[in-house]
Amino acid sequence: MSKLKIGVVGCGGIANQKHFPAMKANSDLCEIVAFCDIIKERAEKGAAEYGAEGARIYEDYHDLLADSEVEVVHVLTPNVAHCPITVAAFEAGKHVYCEKPMAHNTDDAKAMLEAWKKSGKQFTIGYQNRFRPEVQNLKKACEAGELGDIYYGKAHAVRRRAVPTWGVFPDKSKQGGGPLIDIGTHALDLTLWMMDNYEPQSVSGSVFYKLGNLSQATEGNLFGPWDPETYEVEDSAMGFIKMKDGTAIALEAAWAINMTESREASTTLCGTKAGAEIYSGMSYPDNKLVYNRGRHGQLMNEEIAGGGSIAYFEGGASAPGVVDNRQWLEAIINGTEPVVKPEQAFVVTQILEAIYQSAESGKEIILG
């Protein structure tokens, strides 16, 4: 079987931390034949370290899409560029893996869905946290009905002080938002996926710009002090989502907030038979999953110990990014659906945008 030929658009942090190592680990299924970045040196570096022999370098993604050898495109750019590149890739007849979030607004996400449906190609979004061991365990429990009717969930994406100081993260024109759209998207994806509920009715939100422009707030930031003068996005955001069936979800997201617990890419689920909580993030040396329920007349906590810190980046063959990449490649090869479906990622984008809209208008946003 010939290897899938991959073209990468965007050779920055997430490409080097997650995608390049994952594709290297799955080199029996794929090879990277084209690298594109507006900073040519980054594409050259990627090609030198991870490229197939004779890999091409591009500065304009249109040129990469015109490369007839490229079968699959990974869109790893800042958020606002996801839509035009993805749409153009489908029009060029390529399969597309787009990094999370799907888009920075619902209109762009709709355009991406429409282009995908017309193309007949495969499409997925980068929610690799679904492939963590404890997340997989909880998903199986939910599918088996072990929690009963899950009527309330909390999506946790809180960092005490971990504002990213590289790339364009604080630039609203490039990213569309801050921690809500960056890490809140992972926590919301996990919670919706566990509940298997993608029908939001209404959304209320509060978005805070309290610490980003305060120089004293930069003290102790994990990635070093950020520049308060150029910080444009929110530093924290909260949302409350009501689903059509009456189920409710609370979402909390922060890069910087004055609370002691840093809990990220985590979820809390409350069901009629049992509850479950995933603990992950900087406050936890290992990811863990705790089921809580009544047994033999007493309330019990049943804990499963995880195997490492939050899994965004490279690792061994069982690392979530590697597993995610492999199932994506196999979906293309076998003509099956990838685990992360575009329609699910669209709902995440829809809810995140509604939180921003609610905060700006001071009103509940009706989606139903």
Side-chain angles (χ1 to χ4, degrees), residues 284-315:
Y284 304 95
D286 296 297
N287 297 344
K288 67 178 181 178
L289 166 61
V290 178
Y291 292 101
N292 62 85
R293 67 189 95 200
R295 285 192 185 278
H296 311 297
Q298 293 181 307
L299 294 177
M300 304 287 292
N301 289 350
E302 302 164 358
E303 182 174 328
I304 295 178
S309 60
I310 186 167
Y312 287 121
F313 307 135
E314 63 181 297

Side-chain angles (χ1 to χ4, degrees), residues 34-359:
F35 296 77
C36 178
D37 199 286
I38 58 174
I39 300 174
K40 187 178 180 181
E41 291 75 17
R42 292 200 299 212
E44 290 173 336
K45 178 178 180 293
E49 295 180 7
Y50 296 99
E53 184 177 353
R56 275 82 66 197
I57 306 297
Y58 300 105
E59 293 179 75
D60 186 328
Y61 72 85
H62 294 96
D63 295 331
L64 181 143
L65 297 181
D67 188 327
S68 60
E69 189 182 19
V70 173
E71 301 170 280
V72 185
V73 174
H74 281 220
V75 180
L76 314 179
T77 64
N79 299 337
V80 298
H82 287 180
C83 176
I85 299 171
T86 296
V87 170
F90 283 129
E91 291 174 346
K94 317 295 186 183
H95 303 286
V96 178
Y97 182 118
C98 180
E99 252 304 328
K100 62 78 189 169
M102 183 175 183
H104 76 292
N105 62 47
T106 304
D107 286 343
D108 276 8
K110 284 180 181 177
M112 295 163 75
L113 283 180
E114 291 171 1
W116 162 58
K117 290 175 181 177
K118 290 178 183 177
S119 74
K121 298 297 181 178
Q122 291 277 26
F123 187 23
T124 197
I125 307 299
Y127 287 117
Q128 76 281 351
N129 282 289
R130 291 190 186 191
F131 300 94
R132 288 165 22 204
E134 78 284 2
V135 172
Q136 287 284 307
N137 186 295
L138 179 54
K139 179 62 175 176
K140 291 174 183 176
C142 292
E143 290 178 336
E146 293 178 21
L147 273 62
D149 176 22
I150 305 172
Y151 56 89
Y152 179 60
K154 292 183 72 176
H156 308 273
V158 171
R159 299 174 180 174
R160 184 179 184 182
R161 287 294 190 282
V163 174
T165 54
W166 64 92
V168 296
F169 282 99
D171 186 337
K172 193 169 187 177
S173 69
K174 301 288 195 305
Q175 289 293 91
L180 180 61
I181 199 172
D182 178 45
I183 57 175
T185 190
H186 277 297
L188 181 57
D189 172 69
L190 289 181
T191 304
L192 292 170
W193 191 50
M194 295 300 173
M195 299 171 85
D196 193 24
N197 191 334
Y198 291 91
E199 296 188 340
Q201 178 68 41
S202 63
V203 176
S204 298
S206 296
V207 175
F208 299 104
Y209 299 81
K210 298 293 186 179
L211 303 183
N213 301 120
L214 297 179
S215 59
Q216 68 268 28
T218 70
E219 294 178 343
N221 191 55
L222 177 66
F223 307 114
W226 67 88
D227 183 358
E229 298 297 322
T230 60
Y231 190 95
E232 299 176 350
V233 297
E234 80 277 2
D235 41 75
S236 60
M238 315 298 163
F240 190 79
I241 304 109
K242 295 179 183 177
M243 311 302 281
K244 288 182 179 179
D245 65 357
T247 299
I249 298 172
L251 168 63
E252 55 179 8
W255 282 340
I257 193 168
N258 287 321
M259 65 171 61
T260 57
E261 185 183 42
S262 294
R263 189 173 174 188
E264 185 178 348
S266 299
T267 188
T268 296
L269 303 175
C270 303
T272 53
K273 293 182 179 179
E277 301 207 33
I278 287 177
Y279 296 89
S280 178
M282 290 185 292
S283 290
Y284 304 95
D286 296 297
N287 297 344
K288 67 178 181 178
L289 166 61
V290 178
Y291 292 101
N292 62 85
R293 67 189 95 200
R295 285 192 185 278
H296 311 297
Q298 293 181 307
L299 294 177
M300 304 287 292
N301 289 350
E302 302 164 358
E303 182 174 328
I304 295 178
S309 60
I310 186 167
Y312 287 121
F313 307 135
E314 63 181 297
S318 63
V322 175
V323 178
D324 175 29
N325 178 252
R326 192 166 191 86
Q327 65 83 33
W328 159 240
L329 298 172
E330 290 176 341
I332 297 172
I333 293 167
N334 299 324
T336 56
E337 281 192 311
V339 172
V340 181
K341 298 173 178 58
E343 300 94 329
Q344 297 170 339
F346 173 82
V347 174
V348 175
T349 296
Q350 184 183 35
I351 291 172
L352 295 178
E353 182 182 42
I355 292 174
Y356 285 121
Q357 291 174 338
S358 174

